[in-house]
Amino acid sequence: MAFEAGAAVGAREGGVRFPFPFAPYRIQEEFMAALYRALEAGGVGIFESPTGTGKSLSLICGALTWLRDYEERKLQDEARLLQEPEQRDRESSLGGAPDPASGEPAWVAQFVQGKAARDQADRAKEEQIKRKKREERLEKIRHNVQLKYASKRKKCEDDETERLLQLSKEILSKEAGSDVLEQLDHNEEELILAEYESDEEKKVGAGRTHSQLSQFVHEVQKSPFGKETRLVSLGSRQNLCVNEEVRHLGAIQLINDRCMEMQKNKHEKKNEGEETVGKRRRVSRAVCPFYSYEQMQFLRDEVLVDVKDIEQLVTLGKKTKACPYYGSRYAIPAAQLVVLPYQMLLHESTRNASGIKLKDQVVIIDEAHNLIDTITCIYSAEVSGSQLCCAYSQLLQYMERYRKRLKAKNLMYIKQILYLLERFVSVLGGNVNQNPNTQSISQAGTELKSINDFLFQSQIDNINLFKVQRYCEKSLISRKLFGFVERYGAPSTVKTNKENQKTTGLQNFLLTLQQEPEKEGAPPHPSADPETDQLKMASPLMHIEGFLSALTNANQDGRVILNRQGTISQSRLKFLLLNPAVHFAEVVKECRAVIIAGGTMQPVADFREQLLSCAGMAADRVVEFSCGHVIPPENILPIILCSGPSNQQLEFIYQKRDQPQMMDEAGRILCNLCNVVPGGVVCFFPSYEYEKQVYTHWEGTGLLTRLATKKKIFQEPKRSNQVEQVLAEYAKCIKRCSQAGGHMTGALLFSVVGGKMSEGINFSDDLGRCVVMVGMPYPNIKSPELQEKMAWLDKNMPKTAGQAPSRVLTENLCMKAVNQSIGRAIRHQKDFASILLLDHRYAHPAVFNKLPQWIKERTLIKIGFGQAFAELRKFHREKSCYRPASS
């Protein structure tokens, strides 16, 4: 079933009033009402609300309104359950005639019948007691935190007063004696360290990426629920760590390993032998000063009092000398709203380690347009030949050093892991006892195998991978191996009691693995640091554990890709997950309701078929809702252009797009656009390679010079750390041209679909008055991963409207990317922009119907360039007469 746009806000019995920070748009009221009904019914909801319509605020107000009403109904049901046994007991005390069927007195029959109700009432009584205790503790926390801040302010004022009085006393003492001034001593109030019990009330988990979590939390703070909601923001150590010694490591895996090692050091007592080794080897046994249980309790209490985002959590952690990573997790049981990146939510091991329990909870996944790809990436795994050889060498030395101290069972599992590593290298065509950098591959290429075929080819089908995986999880062997390398330094200096030629050779061999071979002609990495490289190779076994875990998937749900390159070091093993539904099924099964929301969810067929249907979700338990945009229809002009100024048909297929006449036609269209479009023009290309090719061609023909007379040209950088700089210069240029006037009317930005600027960047107002899409960004169908995915879909999915599932997949991937890119321009109600799709294939019904509804219903299909250019010139001329101030 699907909710119809236009449903009344008070459609539910008794009506529902949604608190909002301002008068909501009609589509926001419809969105919140539909969301409320979806949460009430349970199941899965797919919600689409275009960017710029206040989607996040609507999600927050709609979901928290439902949570408020749910908790109120729960209290009412609790009171009713507690009253019913009392009424039944009063009735039974009056006695009655015997039951004619059993001959028992009426009160006995009533007692038997009411036993279930009394048991339910007892559970309600226990829950009521827990809830009251929890509320009392939370109230004490709020009160004591306020006292703490008041005490701090009072102390600061008293200190300043004391300083001034002391200064006055010193001045006056020179002239006459003065009374001794008593020093005021104001001690801060101590916070109550309350241990929270498990909270059974429903929580709303909102999942987004780290870069967007703060924005979401700020929306909560602006909402009417900002003061009363107990919110916890979760993140990775990379974002929440406040220990500078650990933060500077940069890579998240290194940060995780160092954090765990510091915790181990905190609880580990050194024996005399270790102290001796420590003096000789100068081993670092540092502990984290922020990992203090008492201080983390303080941080937890303050998190529950006021809504804080990740940046505020980090600031609070530095101020209180407490770890925000662990302190925030202590607040989860008492929280009403848990905000976390959905990678953390969707990965089962990470979710369990974070203390997230999904049973009967509500999960809202925002920005979920790439949910399927995210699950696929999370549960796929890749290891290089260099990592396999390095892990083998480290683990072998670890076993040789501690062989006499290891239990027989642990020794058996370590030998099994060593055998697995040896076979993985062998299946790539190498030998673990030789340098992977110098072992050349005779037959380079890519080979795909089913899981079972790979196990048989590797000759490891007789090993129980489930037991090996459990051993790795329980023994923490990868972290022990990391500590082994950290403790004894470089492998070449590791000495065992019975040193032999084999071990010495392995130590020397491990030294050669510290640096990856550089490609011929490639410049060295600017940030290359031998110490950092050594750390990066310190825990390769953790990556391999992920690969072993992936091999435990069902045979039909994944494939193993053997990518053999020039050397063993460059060769790789990769597990590709084909069926993401097997991992999403647990989320759907455990939760009361799951809401999948985004600004651009079209086409939604992928979510229904690849994710929900395969996860066992019945079609009648899946609801869809899509609303329009807040802008008036006349503020947007989407055009599908089928041919250019010289009547060249626009068809940027792979076989034709490299033709000079096709690139020239696209250039002529841009030249004409830049003459009539003010401000910024953003032009998207299918790939970085094609953008570079077109740029070079236009540079050679002089067309780039013609474009530069009207717009200053910018290119999207490939490095993420340069994006902000390019955007800032792009915005400054547009603002300068708008204020100065003259022949330069703005800027032209060449961007790439799926690149740094196609998602999460707002080209509002003058930054994006026209968005141009050159061609259709179909994925590379020659990719082995995509080919295997297409084959799996054709085998397991039914045809859609006569089209093969593989064909539908490529179209959906293409149109999702297009929809994300063209939605960058319209960001608020008074914004306006034109959208130009340069390819006649956009007019095909199967493709056209996959555009967002609010764009599709206003799109014009123009065969010739003259008609399209006339529409564009008219649109921008009319809009230039009234241009709202740029935000």
Side-chain angles (χ1 to χ4, degrees):
M1 61 180 176
F3 293 137
E4 296 180 0
V9 177
R12 198 176 72 86
E13 292 183 8
V16 179
R17 180 183 175 274
F18 296 97
F20 215 72
F22 51 84
Y25 300 124
R26 180 61 181 172
I27 61 172
Q28 291 176 322
E29 294 177 344
E30 296 166 0
F31 186 96
M32 290 186 290
L35 177 63
Y36 192 102
R37 293 195 296 271
L39 294 177
E40 192 71 13
V44 178
I46 303 175
F47 281 69
E48 181 183 45
S49 180
T51 306
T53 58
K55 169 176 57 68
S56 296
L57 194 57
S58 300
L59 276 172
I60 291 165
C61 293
L64 292 180
T65 298
W66 174 85
L67 182 62
R68 177 201 63 191
D69 293 350
Y70 173 86
E71 291 175 345
E72 290 178 357
R73 290 197 304 271
K74 189 175 180 180
L75 292 177
Q76 294 171 1
D77 293 341
E78 185 180 275
R80 178 180 54 80
L81 288 172
L82 294 174
Q83 290 176 357
E84 285 181 355
E86 297 177 1
Q87 296 177 354
R88 190 176 290 107
D89 291 341
R90 286 196 298 269
E91 293 173 0
S92 61
S93 64
L94 299 177
D99 186 356
S102 60
E104 297 287 346
W107 66 270
V108 174
Q110 291 175 356
F111 176 83
V112 173
Q113 294 173 359
K115 187 177 186 305
R118 283 191 295 273
D119 292 342
Q120 196 174 12
D122 292 340
R123 289 193 295 270
K125 186 68 175 178
E126 292 177 1
E127 178 62 28
Q128 184 185 56
I129 294 173
K130 290 180 180 180
R131 177 176 49 78
K132 287 183 178 180
K133 286 182 179 179
R134 187 166 55 247
E135 290 175 354
E136 290 175 359
R137 290 168 179 170
L138 289 171
E139 187 59 35
K140 287 180 180 179
I141 287 172
R142 295 190 185 95
H143 178 67
N144 283 278
V145 168
Q146 291 173 359
L147 285 179
K148 176 183 176 181
Y149 290 143
S151 176
K152 280 187 176 181
R153 287 195 300 270
K154 180 67 174 174
K155 190 174 187 300
C156 291
E157 293 172 359
D158 291 343
D159 289 344
E160 181 66 16
T161 302
E162 182 182 352
R163 189 184 67 82
L164 294 174
L165 290 175
Q166 183 67 24
L167 181 62
S168 301
K169 185 183 76 170
E170 292 174 357
I171 296 173
L172 293 174
S173 63
K174 297 177 182 179
E175 302 175 357
S178 62
D179 296 333
V180 178
L181 298 176
E182 296 182 358
Q183 184 176 0
L184 299 177
D185 184 15
H186 292 275
N187 295 323
E188 294 185 4
E189 296 288 340
E190 293 186 357
L191 295 178
I192 296 176
L193 301 181
E195 294 297 330
Y196 297 106
E197 300 175 4
S198 179
D199 189 351
E200 297 297 331
E201 296 176 1
K202 302 297 174 291
K203 301 169 188 172
V204 181
R208 294 187 106 175
T209 60
H210 275 306
S211 61
Q212 297 169 319
L213 281 175
S214 295
Q215 179 184 351
F216 187 87
V217 174
H218 292 161
E219 294 292 328
V220 176
Q221 292 171 336
K222 291 192 302 183
S223 74
F225 300 91
K227 298 294 184 182
E228 60 188 50
T229 302
R230 300 189 299 274
L231 180 146
V232 176
S233 295
L234 301 183
S236 65
R237 288 183 176 90
Q238 191 176 31
N239 292 83
L240 289 175
C241 181
V242 293
N243 189 331
E244 292 300 328
E245 179 186 346
V246 179
R247 285 178 63 90
H248 86 278
L249 295 175
I252 186 170
Q253 193 59 60
L254 300 179
I255 292 175
N256 290 340
D257 290 341
R258 181 59 61 85
C259 177
M260 296 299 294
E261 183 68 16
M262 283 186 163
Q263 290 181 54
K264 182 181 177 182
N265 294 341
K266 186 177 181 66
H267 302 290
E268 187 179 73
K269 294 182 179 180
K270 301 178 185 178
N271 55 37
E272 294 181 1
E274 288 177 334
E275 290 177 355
T276 304
V277 173
K279 292 178 181 179
R280 185 176 70 253
R281 295 288 308 127
R282 299 176 65 185
V283 178
S284 173
R285 308 292 293 171
V287 298
C288 183
F290 297 91
Y291 191 73
S292 166
Y293 181 76
E294 182 178 356
Q295 294 304 116
M296 288 190 291
Q297 302 301 307
F298 291 158
L299 184 140
R300 176 204 64 184
D301 293 343
E302 296 210 22
V303 164
L304 292 172
V305 172
D306 294 318
V307 174
K308 294 178 176 63
D309 61 17
I310 286 183
E311 288 75 15
Q312 292 167 330
L313 263 179
V314 171
T315 303
L316 180 63
K318 292 178 180 179
K319 182 179 178 180
T320 60
K321 302 296 182 182
C323 176
Y325 179 78
Y326 288 103
S328 59
R329 278 154 177 73
Y330 290 151
I332 291 176
Q336 293 173 304
L337 177 60
V338 180
V339 181
L340 71 165
Y342 57 60
Q343 289 87 345
M344 186 182 295
L345 170 74
L346 298 172
H347 192 261
E348 182 180 6
S349 299
T350 307
R351 183 173 67 240
N352 294 337
S354 302
I356 302 295
K357 298 179 181 179
L358 298 181
K359 183 66 176 176
D360 295 330
Q361 306 297 326
V362 170
V363 170
I364 299 178
I365 304 176
D366 198 6
E367 300 296 335
H369 56 274
N370 58 352
L371 179 61
I372 296 176
D373 294 336
T374 300
I375 299 175
T376 301
C377 291
I378 287 174
Y379 287 97
S380 296
E382 185 176 18
V383 293
S384 67
S386 179
Q387 288 174 324
L388 293 170
C389 293
C390 183
Y392 180 88
S393 301
Q394 291 179 358
L395 189 58
L396 184 61
Q397 291 185 69
Y398 177 85
M399 183 185 71
E400 291 296 331
R401 184 174 186 87
Y402 298 114
R403 180 185 289 272
K404 293 183 178 180
R405 297 168 58 181
L406 291 169
K407 294 181 180 178
K409 190 174 183 181
N410 293 337
L411 190 60
M412 177 194 71
Y413 280 119
I414 289 177
K415 288 183 177 180
Q416 286 187 354
I417 297 173
L418 287 170
Y419 177 73
L420 290 171
L421 296 173
E422 182 181 355
R423 296 311 306 165
F424 290 158
V425 175
S426 177
V427 81
L428 286 174
N431 189 317
V432 291
N433 295 317
Q434 298 178 13
N435 190 336
N437 296 335
T438 59
Q439 290 187 71
S440 60
I441 301 295
S442 57
Q443 295 180 348
T446 302
E447 186 179 2
L448 281 88
K449 296 281 185 180
S450 67
I451 298 177
N452 289 344
D453 289 344
F454 174 76
L455 297 179
F456 283 117
Q457 182 179 346
S458 304
Q459 300 177 8
I460 58 174
D461 53 293
N462 59 329
I463 294 180
N464 190 329
L465 295 179
F466 291 95
K467 289 186 177 180
V468 174
Q469 180 187 4
R470 284 196 294 271
Y471 167 76
C472 292
E473 292 175 352
K474 291 182 179 180
S475 68
L476 301 177
I477 182 63
S478 61
R479 301 197 185 280
K480 290 178 181 178
L481 201 59
F482 173 77
F484 174 75
V485 176
E486 284 282 290
R487 181 173 301 174
Y488 297 107
S492 61
T493 60
V494 177
K495 305 293 183 181
T496 58
N497 295 331
K498 294 183 179 180
E499 191 173 47
N500 53 44
Q501 184 178 0
K502 179 179 179 182
T503 307
T504 304
L506 284 171
Q507 293 167 1
N508 295 331
F509 159 68
L510 194 57
L511 269 180
T512 65
L513 302 180
Q514 299 304 324
Q515 294 182 351
E516 292 283 347
E518 295 182 0
K519 296 182 180 179
E520 294 185 5
H525 195 278
S527 61
D529 184 357
E531 183 179 355
T532 304
D533 290 339
Q534 181 176 348
L535 283 171
K536 288 185 178 179
M537 296 297 294
S539 53
L541 188 59
M542 187 164 293
H543 297 277
I544 297 166
E545 284 181 8
F547 183 73
L548 292 175
S549 177
L551 292 179
T552 61
N553 280 275
N555 183 58
Q556 68 273 14
D557 291 335
R559 294 292 182 270
V560 180
I561 303 174
L562 289 76
N563 187 6
R564 300 184 179 94
Q565 297 298 327
T567 64
I568 289 295
S569 180
Q570 296 171 340
S571 301
R572 294 181 176 274
L573 291 175
K574 181 178 181 180
F575 174 81
L576 175 66
L577 181 68
L578 298 177
N579 184 15
V582 296
H583 296 287
F584 193 64
E586 183 179 357
V587 176
V588 174
K589 180 181 177 181
E590 292 285 325
C591 294
R592 171 194 172 98
V594 177
I595 303 298
I596 304 172
T600 307
M601 300 297 290
Q602 294 294 333
V604 298
D606 288 351
F607 296 102
R608 278 188 169 272
E609 296 168 7
Q610 294 186 39
L611 209 56
L612 301 178
S613 178
C614 292
M617 178 59 60
D620 59 349
R621 295 201 65 206
V622 180
V623 299
E624 294 179 25
F625 176 84
S626 179
C627 63
H629 210 292
V630 295
I631 63 167
E634 61 272 12
N635 277 22
I636 183 173
L637 179 62
I639 295 178
I640 296 175
L641 186 58
C642 300
S643 60
S646 62
N647 293 326
Q648 170 77 39
Q649 187 183 46
L650 299 177
E651 188 177 20
F652 290 88
I653 59 176
Y654 188 77
Q655 295 79 3
K656 294 183 179 180
R657 68 182 190 180
D658 296 339
Q659 297 175 356
Q661 59 267 29
M662 193 65 67
M663 292 187 283
D664 290 338
E665 198 74 346
R668 284 189 284 267
I669 292 172
L670 276 181
C671 283
N672 283 280
L673 281 178
C674 291
N675 288 330
V676 298
V677 178
V681 176
V682 184
C683 182
F684 285 100
F685 292 89
S687 65
Y688 284 104
E689 291 75 15
Y690 189 61
E691 186 265 340
K692 182 179 179 181
Q693 181 181 0
V694 172
Y695 189 91
T696 304
H697 177 77
W698 288 349
E699 197 173 29
T701 60
L703 198 143
L704 209 61
T705 304
R706 290 168 53 193
L707 286 172
T709 59
K710 285 291 184 181
K711 306 280 187 185
K712 185 176 179 179
I713 299 173
F714 293 86
Q715 288 181 277
E716 176 182 322
K718 285 190 176 182
R719 292 189 178 182
S720 300
N721 58 358
Q722 298 176 347
V723 172
E724 291 296 331
Q725 180 183 354
V726 172
L727 284 175
E729 293 176 359
Y730 173 75
K732 287 180 181 178
C733 176
I734 293 173
K735 185 176 182 180
R736 185 171 59 250
C737 293
S738 176
Q739 294 174 349
H743 63 281
M744 289 287 290
T745 61
L748 172 62
L749 175 62
F750 292 151
S751 189
V752 176
V753 177
K756 311 292 187 302
M757 298 181 178
S758 63
E759 293 187 29
I761 303 296
N762 296 338
F763 295 108
S764 60
D765 300 310
D766 281 347
L767 297 182
R769 290 305 181 195
C770 182
V771 175
V772 182
M773 180 66 62
V774 179
M776 298 185 67
Y778 278 100
N780 181 14
I781 60 173
K782 294 184 179 180
S783 165
E785 292 91 341
L786 183 58
Q787 287 181 346
E788 198 63 27
K789 180 73 172 181
M790 293 166 65
W792 184 86
L793 288 174
D794 287 339
K795 181 179 178 180
N796 295 278
M797 296 290 175
K799 290 186 176 181
T800 303
Q803 283 188 314
S806 58
R807 175 64 181 174
V808 175
L809 171 67
T810 55
E811 281 188 357
N812 288 349
L813 290 175
C814 170
M815 292 309 296
K816 280 182 182 293
V818 170
N819 293 340
Q820 278 295 313
S821 299
I822 63 179
R824 299 297 95 201
I826 303 295
R827 313 306 291 180
H828 57 84
Q829 187 180 23
K830 295 183 179 180
D831 205 356
F832 66 90
S834 57
I835 298 171
L836 200 57
L837 305 177
L838 304 185
D839 203 304
H840 75 94
R841 291 174 293 171
Y842 284 108
H844 296 174
V847 176
F848 181 78
N849 290 329
K850 291 175 181 178
L851 289 169
Q853 184 65 32
W854 66 279
I855 292 179
K856 179 173 61 178
E857 62 190 10
R858 306 168 190 181
T859 300
L860 304 177
I861 300 176
K862 297 297 181 181
I863 304 300
F865 177 75
Q867 296 176 340
F869 184 72
E871 292 285 350
L872 286 166
R873 182 169 52 188
K874 178 183 176 183
F875 174 82
H876 286 286
R877 183 178 296 169
E878 291 177 353
K879 293 302 174 184
S880 296
C881 296
Y882 170 70
R883 298 175 61 185
S886 299
S887 59

